[in-house]
Amino acid sequence: MRFLLAGLLVAALSVPIFAQTAAIQAPPLPDAPDKPVIGLALTFSAGGKTDTRPARLVALHVPAGQPVSPFLAAGPFTATWTGEINRPLRSDYVFSADVSGSFKLTVNDKVVLETAGEATAEKLNKKVRLNKGANRIVAEFASDGKQDATVRLLWSSKEFPNEPVPPATMSHAVSPDELSGNRIREGRFLFAEFRCAACHADPSLPARGTGMPELAQDAPVFDDLGAKYNETWLAHWINDPHSIRPRSIMPKVFHAPEGKVDQKAADLAAYFVSLGKAEEAKVNPDNGPLGGVLFANLGCIACHSTPDAQGKDENNRVPLAHLKAKWKPVALREYLKAPEKNYLWTHMPNFGLSDQEAEQLTAYLLSGKQREFAAGSAGDAARGAQLLVTANCLNCHAGMPPMQTPALAQTLQSGWTKGCMAPDPTARGNAPDFAFTAAQREALQAFAAHGFDSLKQDVPLEFAERQLANNNCVACHARDQTPSLWFALEEEMRALQQAVPAAVTHEEGKPAAGTTAPILTWTGEKLQPEWMAKFIAGHIGYKPRPWIIARMPAFKAAAEGIAAGLSMEHGFSPVLTLEPAPEPERAKIGGILLGESGGFNCTTCHGLGERAPTAVFEAPGINLAYTPERLRKGYYHRWVLHPLRIDPDTKMPRFSDDDGKTPLTDHYEGVASDQFEGIWQHLRTIPKAPAHGFKH
């Protein structure tokens, strides 16, 4: 029988998989949104093919030899952004561009900027008038593919200095080409996220660890499960994970009648709980309210509904009402301290919790009235051990080759309408149920119809965007016109915080609850890529914003890719060129400008290396000694020239006027950019401050 199956598999694979995608028909496109959406439409052309997707910015960086899109070949390409720039009033602006390649900008059907070659494009000598309302924009860029391709569109006016054109000022109508590109991208991501290749292998697919990064993601390790989970819950989870946690990647493998637990699920649960023995422990209920404060202040509440919440959450947060039935207390505490230990690609990040914090959160998460799970028939651990192999659990959870599933080439013959892609149990048969929505099935079918070649390569920019969405970063951070959910939950947070009034009483100089996390709109332009990667991975040993009671958790698997992709999205290389050594005289003047005597008095609020701030208000600001390792120099200059332009909620004052002058005229005749450059060079001479805050 084994040889017969092997022969069938070889026969199926004798026809190249990419030649068989003709059997898949892309479903009709959904309707386009009624209103324009933020950003511009971006169309790439390369090798005689095109690809369209939305873009937040007129900016791009593509290293030589790399593709501009996962769906196009590397080499020469063109990129065309189209849409509108929207203005509340008619006014004059000056456009400029940083370009390595050729570039042309057309506004309201008039060419306003055109350049080619290596050098930065010069600003126009005349102003461009933008009308009130929508102004048509077309930006065209071309690269020969032989050198790094870079473009960044900037503008300025009498109200603000040179800056990238903000995403929120631009909009466009979604075209059928963009709808198609978006859907194919969604299907491609679903193919990787749901690990389709783990069961449906094919030699034409990229080897693990190559191509699209998400293809290499792991699944939870079966390690001492008996020490972690309760058997009754585990049986219900294996039986129907989506009834416990909607949008779970884990499929429903067995098909018992609704409301019943399949005997196979019970058998597997019995086998799993035989792996490891739980350490006896009790939860101290006195820690529960303190854990609730942490749940609010660390931002857990932005991704998860409270553990006593029942029913559908209006914000679609991940439910926690099953935790008491699921976890052994000691195991939950250890999991909270290192969620990635047995599952690197988990969406649950590492907050660097102390033992005490983990105890408090565990007490809170296992408190209150939660969902109960009825015990079913007893499971047989021996049968469960056999099922572990025959049910193909190890395909995902141990990376073993599939044994009883059709190869990917075979699945194409059905048009991807049967098996796990079927919308109803009859057509699904014995295949796993992933609870795909109609839109997800259509996206997967559209991806299959387009072909699988794009899995062999990826673009860091798109990886970063996928992972920002997949890890729900806007739950805590605002970005463009999307507000932070966390700080829309003040009523829920207040209920948890007021349960322990002493825990939220603010002391001067201490972190405060209720302060916002930094916006993500300009992150790729703002942060040094190496520092950003370390920070996202949890490898920075200090807390940059000591006044915020929250902390940035670690997303270790995706950190480097996110940092590189965000840099490229803003038109920057992910590898910085080192600056020359600071100029001693300029750095000396910068030190004067930082201080109280003849300077901007920055050290009132900010520490400077070992030196503490002199008169903080509420809590100290960022220690300025970290600035050169954290920030790109260009962003630093943009920030200090007009901080409120970047973040309207910042407490950082503006020291320069619209003419670029400051009131301090003893140095550089009050020219703000020269004075701020002196401060930058002085900061580069300051030894790093001692680590403070929380390590991950």
Side-chain angles (χ1 to χ4, degrees):
M1 181 65 179
R2 180 178 298 175
F3 295 106
L4 175 60
L5 287 173
L8 290 173
L9 180 59
V10 170
L13 294 182
S14 62
V15 180
I17 183 173
F18 302 113
Q20 298 186 44
T21 55
I24 305 289
Q25 297 296 317
L29 288 171
D31 294 334
D34 295 333
K35 297 180 179 179
V37 299
I38 190 172
L40 300 176
L42 174 54
T43 298
F44 298 116
S45 297
K49 297 181 179 180
T50 62
D51 174 39
T52 301
R53 64 167 176 82
R56 301 175 54 244
L57 301 156
V58 182
L60 195 65
H61 178 83
V62 182
Q66 293 190 17
V68 71
S69 160
F71 302 100
L72 300 175
F77 70 89
T78 63
T80 304
W81 292 260
T82 56
E84 291 82 34
I85 294 180
N86 304 289
R87 305 312 301 142
L89 296 171
R90 185 175 62 177
S91 190
D92 295 330
Y93 299 84
V94 176
F95 286 94
S96 63
D98 292 334
V99 178
S100 177
S102 63
F103 182 70
K104 182 170 73 173
L105 176 67
T106 304
V107 179
N108 291 330
D109 301 320
K110 294 182 180 180
V111 176
V112 299
L113 182 63
E114 190 167 12
T115 187
E118 300 278 349
T120 298
E122 296 181 359
K123 293 182 180 179
L124 294 177
N125 294 322
K126 64 178 183 178
K127 296 177 180 178
V128 177
R129 175 153 292 184
L130 296 184
N131 301 318
K132 177 181 179 180
N135 296 265
R136 173 77 175 166
I137 177 176
V138 179
E140 301 166 87
F141 174 75
S143 170
D144 61 9
K146 298 177 182 178
Q147 60 184 358
D148 289 359
T150 297
V151 60
R152 297 179 64 234
L153 179 65
L154 304 105
W155 68 349
S156 61
S157 78
K158 63 181 181 180
E159 285 86 20
F160 58 86
N162 217 26
E163 68 177 19
V165 182
T169 65
M170 300 182 289
S171 64
H172 70 283
V174 179
S175 68
D177 285 343
E178 183 179 339
L179 280 175
S180 176
N182 291 346
R183 186 170 66 169
I184 292 170
R185 281 175 165 80
E186 173 67 9
R188 178 176 180 263
F189 174 70
L190 290 170
F191 184 92
E193 179 76 356
F194 283 87
R195 303 174 178 86
C196 299
C199 287
H200 305 294
D202 191 281
S204 299
L205 295 176
R208 185 176 177 86
T210 66
M212 187 180 183
E214 289 92 338
L215 291 172
Q217 63 188 346
D218 57 350
V221 174
F222 295 147
D223 177 47
D224 293 333
L225 296 191
K228 298 177 181 178
Y229 306 136
N230 294 309
E231 183 173 353
T232 297
W233 176 87
L234 196 53
H236 280 266
W237 170 258
I238 296 169
N239 186 67
D240 188 1
H242 308 113
S243 68
I244 297 174
R245 190 172 70 202
R247 306 185 305 280
S248 170
I249 296 173
M250 170 80 175
K252 180 179 181 180
V253 179
F254 308 117
H255 305 288
E258 187 173 351
K260 301 288 186 180
V261 174
D262 192 286
Q263 182 60 48
K264 294 177 182 177
D267 292 342
L268 266 174
Y271 169 71
F272 285 139
V273 297
S274 71
L275 306 176
K277 184 177 181 181
E279 182 181 339
E280 294 296 328
K282 292 183 178 180
V283 174
N284 182 354
D286 293 341
N287 282 327
L290 291 168
V293 173
L294 284 171
F295 188 82
N297 289 345
L298 294 182
C300 310
I301 198 169
C303 286
H304 296 281
S305 52
T306 56
D308 58 352
Q310 302 292 330
K312 181 175 175 58
D313 176 61
E314 63 179 8
N315 294 305
N316 291 317
R317 291 172 292 177
V318 177
L320 298 178
H322 60 279
L323 294 191
K324 188 183 295 187
K326 173 182 179 179
W327 282 99
K328 305 289 178 66
V330 171
L332 178 56
R333 181 195 67 197
E334 295 305 308
Y335 168 78
L336 292 172
K337 289 163 60 178
E340 76 288 353
K341 180 179 178 181
N342 290 320
Y343 182 15
L344 183 61
W345 283 81
T346 178
H347 296 317
M348 175 68 178
N350 188 328
F351 278 88
L353 299 175
S354 66
D355 289 342
Q356 183 182 48
E357 288 172 329
E359 290 279 2
Q360 291 169 348
L361 265 176
T362 297
Y364 170 69
L365 294 173
L366 300 182
S367 66
K369 183 175 176 57
Q370 298 189 19
R371 181 177 174 183
E372 297 179 356
F373 295 83
S377 58
D380 185 302
R383 289 198 304 260
Q386 295 177 335
L387 281 168
L388 185 67
V389 177
T390 59
N392 289 306
C393 306
L394 298 177
N395 295 3
C396 288
H397 291 277
M400 289 183 61
M403 292 186 61
Q404 298 179 340
T405 52
L408 188 59
Q410 291 175 284
T411 69
L412 297 171
Q413 298 169 9
S414 71
W416 277 23
T417 59
K418 298 179 181 179
C420 54
M421 284 289 292
D424 59 85
T426 302
R428 189 178 305 118
N430 292 324
D433 179 7
F434 287 91
F436 290 132
T437 65
Q440 288 175 322
R441 286 194 298 273
E442 290 177 1
L444 281 161
Q445 290 165 345
F447 169 61
H450 189 273
F452 298 90
D453 271 328
S454 65
L455 295 172
K456 295 181 178 180
Q457 61 184 18
D458 202 45
V459 176
L461 185 158
E462 295 199 22
F463 173 79
E465 287 296 319
R466 292 194 303 267
Q467 291 303 314
L468 258 62
N470 199 36
N471 289 302
N472 200 22
C473 297
V474 294
C476 293
H477 298 272
R479 191 184 196 214
D480 301 339
Q481 291 182 327
T482 303
S484 161
L485 173 61
W486 185 5
F487 294 97
L489 300 171
E490 291 184 3
E491 187 174 341
E492 285 188 43
M493 291 175 62
R494 192 177 301 113
L496 294 171
Q497 292 164 343
Q498 290 179 344
V500 189
V504 293
T505 300
H506 182 254
E507 299 178 29
E508 191 74 15
K510 298 293 185 181
T515 49
T516 59
I519 60 173
L520 294 182
T521 298
W522 305 110
T523 303
E525 176 204 6
K526 172 183 178 179
L527 297 178
Q528 301 263 26
E530 295 89 347
W531 188 91
M532 184 181 0
K534 291 178 182 178
F535 187 59
I536 297 171
H539 299 320
I540 297 296
Y542 60 89
K543 187 176 180 180
R545 289 174 169 77
W547 68 90
I548 299 179
I549 202 165
R551 70 192 70 151
M552 173 68 185
F555 296 87
K556 298 185 178 183
E560 289 190 10
I562 291 175
L566 290 180
S567 296
M568 294 181 187
E569 181 181 38
H570 285 260
F572 292 102
S573 168
V575 180
L576 278 182
T577 302
L578 295 177
E579 286 189 69
E583 301 173 32
E585 184 60 28
R586 178 164 282 199
K588 180 180 178 181
I589 293 173
I592 296 171
L593 290 167
L594 274 172
E596 299 91 340
S597 179
F600 296 107
N601 210 7
C602 306
T603 51
T604 298
C605 298
H606 296 275
L608 188 61
E610 298 281 354
R611 179 181 173 184
T614 58
V616 298
F617 175 70
E618 292 186 348
I622 294 174
N623 191 306
L624 295 179
Y626 294 121
T627 301
E629 75 172 10
R630 289 182 57 248
L631 301 185
R632 292 182 184 270
K633 183 177 178 178
Y635 178 87
Y636 156 82
H637 274 284
R638 186 157 81 88
W639 171 259
V640 291
L641 279 170
H642 205 324
L644 292 168
R645 177 77 184 167
I646 297 174
D647 183 1
D649 295 323
T650 183
K651 294 182 180 180
M652 170 79 174
R654 183 184 181 188
F655 292 104
S656 61
D657 59 23
D658 289 343
D659 295 323
K661 295 292 188 70
T662 76
L664 305 181
T665 57
D666 289 347
H667 304 286
Y668 305 113
E669 298 179 336
V671 176
S673 58
D674 288 339
Q675 293 179 344
F676 296 151
E677 175 63 21
I679 291 175
W680 173 267
Q681 296 214 25
H682 179 74
L683 293 177
R684 292 179 60 213
T685 69
I686 303 297
K688 300 297 183 292
H692 57 86
F694 298 92
K695 281 191 176 183
H696 294 303

